Amino acid sequence: MKQKNLNTKEEALLCNEILELERNVYDFHFSFEEKKPFNGKVEIKGNESNCTISRNAENKSTLNFVLKQKTKGQIESEYGMMEIDLYTRHYDQKKESIVLIYDVMHEEEVIESYRMSIKIKKVV
């Protein structure tokens, strides 16, 4: 799983492991521990039309994504709970990959933009 900040062009490899993917017809669900220095526990679940990413590290976050829609995310830290606005520009979930491009918004202004890509391979 890779993440790229589209503003700074900084890339991060969050996970490069074999994970057990639970999949129904269109639904998927998996979890993993991020590579250092991130060290978070991440759970990703979704289907062909939406995706939720939950992360538990120094802060806890739950981000919800629906293609071409504004959604809310929650971030919980030692300072309390904060809501953020998200806009999903691209979401494509296929048998062999998941690609998500989204913006973090403040009112109508884009603060940050990210691209996440997950490759899925069948292991026998």
Side-chain angles (χ1 to χ4, degrees):
M1 176 177 185
K2 291 182 183 178
Q3 177 175 282
K4 181 177 184 177
N5 183 313
L6 298 177
N7 299 338
T8 65
K9 308 297 184 217
E10 185 177 335
E11 292 187 32
L13 181 63
L14 302 177
C15 179
N16 190 24
E17 298 177 24
I18 296 174
L19 305 171
E20 186 173 338
L21 176 68
E22 298 174 30
R23 185 188 287 272
N24 296 335
V25 177
Y26 292 106
D27 298 341
F28 63 87
H29 177 241
F30 59 93
S31 58
F32 62 91
E33 292 194 29
E34 294 173 321
K35 294 176 70 71
K36 290 183 180 181
F38 304 103
N39 300 329
K41 292 183 180 181
V42 178
E43 178 182 39
I44 300 176
K45 56 186 172 181
N47 56 40
E48 64 182 358
S49 62
N50 64 68
C51 176
T52 299
I53 300 175
S54 301
R55 183 171 182 268
N56 190 353
E58 67 280 354
N59 298 321
K60 293 180 182 180
S61 63
T62 302
L63 308 177
N64 299 299
F65 303 99
V66 180
L67 181 61
K68 302 290 184 196
Q69 290 187 23
K70 277 190 175 180
T71 55
K72 296 282 185 188
Q74 294 184 334
I75 301 173
E76 184 181 346
S77 73
E78 61 187 57
Y79 304 108
M81 181 72 73
M82 176 178 75
E83 278 197 343
I84 59 173
D85 293 323
L86 304 166
Y87 179 77
T88 307
R89 289 197 271 155
H90 179 86
Y91 175 68
D92 190 22
Q93 182 260 320
K94 295 182 179 171
K95 203 173 205 179
E96 68 283 342
S97 67
I98 300 167
V99 177
L100 172 65
I101 300 174
Y102 68 96
D103 298 324
V104 178
M105 310 287 293
H106 177 65
E107 296 176 358
E108 296 300 315
E109 183 181 344
V110 175
I111 305 297
E112 291 286 345
S113 297
Y114 292 95
R115 179 181 197 274
M116 296 183 81
S117 60
I118 303 165
K119 292 183 182 178
I120 302 169
K121 296 180 183 178
K122 186 175 183 177
V123 177
V124 280

